[in-house]
């Protein structure tokens, strides 16, 4: 996430930059699925990677959206 600029405070206040969250979630889910496949010694179904990445991205976008709404009126 740091390489995608997700930990910068200015990121959380701008909605159009939420595509970075989706990109980071898909990258992380691919790595997680690869490690899971190595540990279990099984194949990695592509639909598992998409479901894992999609649910993680949705959760992070909702979380950042709520944070953005809650901190909108605060003076920095």
């Amino acid at each position: 996430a740091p390489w995608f600029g997700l930990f910068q405070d200015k990121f959380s206040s701008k909605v159009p930059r939420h595509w970075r969250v989706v990109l980071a979630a898909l990258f992380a889910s691919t790595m997680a699925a690869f490690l899971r496949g190595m540990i279990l010694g099984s194949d990695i179904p592509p639909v598992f990677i998409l479901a894992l990445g999609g649910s993680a991205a949705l959760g992070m976008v909702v979380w950042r959206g709520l944070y953005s709404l809650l901190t909108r009126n605060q003076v920095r």
Side-chain angles (χ1 to χ4, degrees):
W3 299 285
F4 295 104
L6 297 180
F7 292 132
Q8 298 172 1
D9 195 34
K10 65 180 179 180
F11 171 78
S12 62
S13 63
K14 298 191 179 186
V15 175
R17 293 187 182 179
H18 286 318
W19 65 270
R20 290 182 181 183
V21 174
V22 175
L23 186 62
L26 290 176
F27 177 73
S29 65
T30 304
M31 294 298 293
F34 176 74
L35 290 174
R36 179 183 182 269
M38 284 184 57
I39 290 170
L40 296 178
S42 64
D43 293 336
I44 307 164
V47 73
F48 174 74
I49 297 171
L50 291 175
L52 182 64
S55 62
L58 179 65
M60 286 192 285
V61 166
V62 168
W63 179 255
R64 286 189 174 264
L66 288 173
Y67 177 78
S68 171
L69 286 174
L70 291 174
T71 59
R72 181 180 296 172
N73 296 329
Q74 293 181 356
V75 178
R76 293 179 192 232

